[in-house]
Amino acid sequence: QVQLVESGGGLVQPGGSLRLSCAASGFTFSSYGMIWVRQAPGKGLEWVSFINSGGGTTSYADSVKGRFTISRDNAQNTLYLQMNSLKPEDTAVYHCARQYGSSWYEYDYWGQGTQVTVSS
């Protein structure tokens, strides 16, 4: 069955960096685009970033553009999100998700998430 397991979250000061990882299993990882979404306390899910199956196409929400970088290692079935210049408003649970269909914004499976807290 499809499994997505995120890791790498934690507490970081404003301006700091974190690198999230997502280990995928149960499907052919290299055949799917992947997505990061996040959910801040008391808010709905927010789309953060997309990467296509080969890694050559990426897209970012305006709120993270220039600060976050999505990447993938198809040999290791792993998705990454490098987060730099973190702000308190980046505090959220971050989930990786498998793309559904051809939309960069729709997904059919997602992981349990990893907590990112940006605070001094």
Side-chain angles (χ1 to χ4, degrees):
Q1 70 279 21
V2 173
Q3 284 196 318
L4 299 166
V5 180
E6 302 91 340
S7 61
L11 173 64
V12 63
Q13 292 187 340
S17 298
L18 281 175
R19 188 194 197 201
L20 305 185
S21 298
C22 169
S25 62
F27 65 103
T28 305
F29 180 72
S30 59
S31 295
Y32 286 84
M34 296 295 295
I35 294 164
W36 284 99
V37 297
R38 66 186 182 185
Q39 186 165 26
K43 297 189 177 181
L45 285 168
E46 177 189 11
W47 179 91
V48 174
S49 184
F50 163 84
I51 187 167
N52 73 337
S53 58
T57 298
T58 59
S59 183
Y60 300 91
D62 287 344
S63 58
V64 308
K65 199 172 295 182
R67 300 187 297 121
F68 289 12
T69 302
I70 190 172
S71 63
R72 65 191 297 160
D73 184 340
N74 284 346
Q76 297 294 324
N77 290 348
T78 303
L79 176 73
Y80 301 101
L81 186 68
Q82 177 67 44
M83 306 187 296
N84 299 329
S85 303
L86 282 161
K87 305 175 181 179
E89 51 264 43
D90 294 319
T91 295
V93 176
Y94 284 72
H95 303 266
C96 63
R98 189 179 79 168
Q99 182 187 17
Y100 177 75
S102 60
S103 171
W104 292 3
Y105 305 96
E106 295 184 28
Y107 43 93
D108 54 0
Y109 291 92
W110 57 94
Q112 84 291 346
T114 186
Q115 175 71 49
V116 172
T117 302
V118 184
S119 175
S120 54

